């Protein structure tokens, strides 16, 4: 049987507010995504994941859903979504939506009913609790956005729990009625034809019964943000969550199991590798891909990366398919962390490791974090804990398409400022420059498509000394060698015997590779893919 699309393909995350505006309100929309599908096809990706598009008060920019089976007017209509899906499918692109099951908006009618009275039939749909015996919040749990995670409700004299904003009350997933209602949401979108979901904060969905205090974090520093004062051992990652994942998986699998028809579930989970692996499932399968975010923060040296890759590979359960991520709408951009030269190396790494890669929009242009003047800050995280560098606006700025007004993102002032170098760092301009990072991404994606060794092949580490990371990807007779110089000085790599007679498939820098006496000479910041035979 051939490998399913979600194993061989590349996923591209679209942050819809910032991709393309078509109605002149400065906010990206669904028609904008539809308009840019040809760009995505041409880039060479296989699937898009769109951050939440559902009706929302936008307290957390769509991660506060007030209606799960509709589209927010700012993004368009259900008909616009259907058109987007049809257009994407006509081009062979899959479409994944962002499922936000852990919490709703406080304006969702479920919550309005739940908070109306203690005897409401929906009271138990959320997590209500009396004050602690001596008064005050029921436990020491802290919101991920700072402050107590418990909000007092004067009218009914109880607290409710919110892992994020008080405008995002957590659902009670131990309640079968909640499970059934949310399963209907999945079916609603699967029936419309979506190819899968990214599941928001999957590891948060179940909390320890009785809400016991979290232990304090001995390593806490104020710069980490308030949430890290405690270790979230009781408020997250409870064993029952795996049954919930398995139930969602059953629904996904019931819609298709073929190489092309399969639906995929990707879990957002920030946990150490060993804990992460449980989300693949045990006796019953869990999500197809528990997001692996390790490259975002990894120390940028060959030995550390080689160990991380080896340990991740070794920890995978039988049949567990790997995946890799360099960035998303919550974390610093790769170009900001690694610099422009090494962002190119990171691109090669992402697209040549074993497993499904997810790209974050704009990374293919080398977009960096954009400094946001205080008066333009929009992210609730930054507004609540300013100045710690935790805000996410810098990584959510508009995509730059051309050197014309507002980078062709919008006819109006964009909701967040554009990066400063947009007149040159834009799709139209960079597409004309064979040396641009955009063209590197395009080449990488093409090489990946043409070489099964890079998608379904095995991986073997070759070298990890100083600044040189090298590995082999192999499928049947096809053997590729990837060598990455993680630093700004020239390096050399003694090629293994089998790679004696090799040919260059791709380099991040200009000029042919130099191989002398079985030694590959790498230029500063150079990464290469060689093919043998
Ligand atoms: C996830 C989202 C993030 C959001 C949070 C609460 O981590 O990626 O953007 O703020 O969940 O829904
Ligand atoms: Ca718009």
């Amino acid at each position: 049987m051939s490998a399913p699309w979600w194993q061989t393909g590349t996923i591209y995350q679209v942050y819809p507010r910032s991709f393309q505006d078509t109605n002149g309100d400065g906010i990206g929309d669904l028609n904008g995504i539809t308009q840019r599908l040809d760009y995505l096809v041409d880039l060479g990706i296989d699937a898009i994941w769109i951050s939440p598009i559902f009706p929302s008060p936008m307290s957390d920019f769509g991660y506060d859903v007030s209606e799960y089976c509709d589209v927010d007017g700012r993004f368009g209509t259900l008909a616009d979504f259907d058109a987007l899906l049809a257009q994407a499918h006509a081009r062979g692109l899959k479409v994944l939506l962002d499922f936000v099951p852990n919490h709703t908006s406080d304006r969702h009618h479920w919550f309005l009913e739940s908070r109306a009275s203690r005897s409401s039939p929906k009271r138990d749909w959320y997590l209500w609790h009396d004050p602690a015996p001596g008064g005050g919040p029921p436990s020491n749990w802290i919101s991920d956005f700072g402050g107590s995670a418990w909000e007092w409700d004067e009218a009914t004299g109880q607290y409710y729990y919110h892992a994020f904003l008080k405008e995002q009350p957590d659902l009670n997933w131990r309640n079968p009625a909640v499970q059934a209602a949310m399963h209907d949401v999945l079916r609603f979108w699967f029936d419309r034809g979506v190819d899968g979901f990214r599941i928001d904060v999957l590891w948060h969905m179940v909390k320890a019964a009785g809400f016991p205090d979290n232990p304090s974090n001995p390593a806490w520093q104020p710069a980490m943000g308030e949430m890290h004062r405690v270790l979230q051992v009781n408020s997250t990652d409870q064993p029952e969550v795996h049954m919930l994942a398995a139930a969602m998986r059953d629904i996904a699998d019931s819609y298709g199991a073929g190489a092309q028809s399969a639906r995929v579930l990707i879990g957002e989970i920030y946990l150490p590798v060993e804990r992460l692996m449980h989300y693949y499932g045990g006796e019953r399968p869990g999500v197809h891909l528990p997001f692996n975010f390790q490259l975002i923060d990894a120390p940028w040296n060959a030995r550390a990366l080689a160990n991380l890759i080896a340990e991740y590979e070794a920890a995978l359960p039988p049949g567990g398919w790997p995946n890799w991520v360099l960035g998303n709408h919550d974390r610093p951009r790769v170009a900001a962390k690694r610099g422009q030269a090494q962002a190119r190396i990171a691109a090669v790494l992402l697209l040549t490791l074993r497993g499904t890669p997810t790209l974050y929009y704009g990374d293919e242009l080398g977009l960096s974090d954009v400094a946001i003047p205080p008066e333009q800050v929009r992210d609730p995280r930054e507004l609540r804990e300013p100045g710690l560098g935790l805000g996410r606006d810098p990584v959510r700025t508009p995509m730059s398409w051309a050197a014309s007004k507002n980078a062709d993102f919008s006819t109006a002032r964009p909701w967040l400022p554009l990066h400063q170098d947009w007149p040159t760092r834009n799709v139209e301009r960079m597409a004309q420059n064979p040396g641009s990072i955009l063209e590197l991404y395009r080449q990488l994606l093409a090489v990946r498509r043409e070489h099964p060794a890079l998608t379904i092949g095995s991986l073997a580490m070759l070298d990890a000394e100083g600044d040189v990371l090298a590995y082999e990807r192999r499928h049947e007779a096809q053997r590729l060698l990837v060598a990455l110089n993680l630093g700004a000085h020239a390096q050399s790599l003694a090629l293994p015997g089998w790679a004696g007679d090799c040919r260059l498939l791709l380099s991040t820098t200009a000029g042919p590779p130099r191989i002398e006496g079985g030694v590959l000479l790498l230029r500063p910041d150079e990464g290469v893919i060689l093919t043998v035979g």
Side-chain angles (χ1 to χ4, degrees), residues 328-344:
N328 61 39
H329 64 293
D330 295 326
R331 305 301 320 279
R333 282 200 183 262
V334 59
K337 274 206 87 124
R338 315 296 183 195
Q340 290 297 338
Q342 284 294 315
R344 299 168 68 93

Side-chain angles (χ1 to χ4, degrees), residues 251-489:
I251 294 172
D253 285 352
S254 75
Y255 279 85
Q260 278 307 312
S261 66
R263 314 291 173 109
V264 68
L265 298 178
I266 308 174
E268 184 207 17
I269 301 142
Y270 284 92
L271 284 175
V273 171
E274 189 271 316
R275 306 290 314 161
L276 182 69
M277 292 302 159
H278 294 283
Y279 287 78
Y280 280 104
E283 274 166 29
R284 294 173 65 192
V287 294
H288 302 76
L289 300 173
F291 259 144
N292 168 21
F293 296 123
Q294 294 182 87
L295 290 181
I296 300 178
D297 292 317
W300 209 242
N301 70 70
R303 175 55 46 210
L305 285 173
N307 287 344
L308 179 159
I309 295 162
E311 283 164 18
Y312 174 71
E313 285 270 355
L316 287 166
W321 186 253
N323 78 93
W324 299 94
V325 178
L326 288 178
N328 61 39
H329 64 293
D330 295 326
R331 305 301 320 279
R333 282 200 183 262
V334 59
K337 274 206 87 124
R338 315 296 183 195
Q340 290 297 338
Q342 284 294 315
R344 299 168 68 93
I345 300 297
V348 182
L349 183 64
L350 176 71
L351 292 167
T352 60
L353 284 176
R354 199 177 77 90
T356 305
T358 301
L359 308 185
Y360 184 48
Y361 87 96
D363 280 355
E364 76 272 31
L365 305 181
L367 289 204
S368 194
D369 293 2
V370 177
I372 308 290
E375 66 282 3
Q376 287 184 55
V377 168
R378 305 290 301 272
D379 179 20
R381 177 120 216 240
E382 178 68 21
L383 292 169
R384 291 175 54 86
E385 294 188 89
L388 298 180
L390 301 174
R392 301 166 297 176
D393 293 328
V395 306
R396 297 175 175 180
T397 61
M399 182 75 177
S400 46
W401 298 100
S404 44
K405 188 179 175 205
N406 296 326
D408 221 12
F409 164 70
S410 174
T411 54
R413 184 165 186 247
W415 76 286
L416 280 177
L418 282 155
H419 51 288
Q420 280 195 328
D421 54 349
W422 67 266
T424 49
R425 193 177 293 285
N426 62 65
V427 171
E428 193 178 77
R429 176 73 80 91
M430 295 172 91
Q432 290 158 13
N433 173 5
S436 69
I437 187 168
L438 175 60
E439 290 311 294
L440 172 65
Y441 265 100
R442 215 190 300 276
Q443 277 178 49
L444 275 165
L445 286 159
V447 167
R448 196 180 152 85
R449 276 217 178 132
E450 285 156 16
H451 294 85
L454 288 178
T455 49
I456 55 172
S458 60
L459 178 141
M461 279 295 160
L462 294 178
D463 201 359
E465 288 312 318
D467 276 338
V468 179
L469 179 68
Y471 44 92
E472 176 194 359
R473 297 297 314 275
R474 180 178 193 174
H475 178 67
E476 296 170 356
Q478 191 173 76
R479 292 181 96 167
L480 304 187
L481 187 145
V482 180
L484 305 176
N485 182 350
L486 303 173
H489 300 285

Side-chain angles (χ1 to χ4, degrees), residues 18 30 76 110 118 134 145 193 196 211 261 355 372 397 501:
S18 296
L30 292 179
W110 297 341
R118 287 201 190 197
F145 295 147
F211 311 108
S261 66
I372 308 290
T397 61
D501 182 20

Side-chain angles (χ1 to χ4, degrees), residues 177-196:
V178 168
Q179 297 178 16
M182 291 301 263
H183 290 168
D184 284 347
V185 172
L186 291 175
R187 291 193 189 95
F188 174 87
W189 293 105
F190 277 139
D191 286 340
R192 282 198 117 72
V194 308
D195 301 289

Side-chain angles (χ1 to χ4, degrees), residues 203-279:
W203 86 115
H204 271 265
M205 285 175 69
V206 186
K207 342 306 171 185
F211 311 108
D213 276 351
N214 278 324
S216 63
N217 175 5
W220 183 71
Q221 306 277 326
M224 296 171 162
E226 249 214 290
M227 66 175 279
H228 295 293
R229 260 179 197 277
V230 293
L231 301 170
Q232 298 184 329
V233 293
N234 292 319
S235 51
T236 67
D237 194 29
Q238 298 300 301
E240 295 91 333
V241 73
H242 300 296
M243 298 307 288
L244 300 182
M248 293 191 274
R249 172 66 176 259
D250 283 346
I251 294 172
D253 285 352
S254 75
Y255 279 85
Q260 278 307 312
S261 66
R263 314 291 173 109
V264 68
L265 298 178
I266 308 174
E268 184 207 17
I269 301 142
Y270 284 92
L271 284 175
V273 171
E274 189 271 316
R275 306 290 314 161
L276 182 69
M277 292 302 159
H278 294 283
Y279 287 78

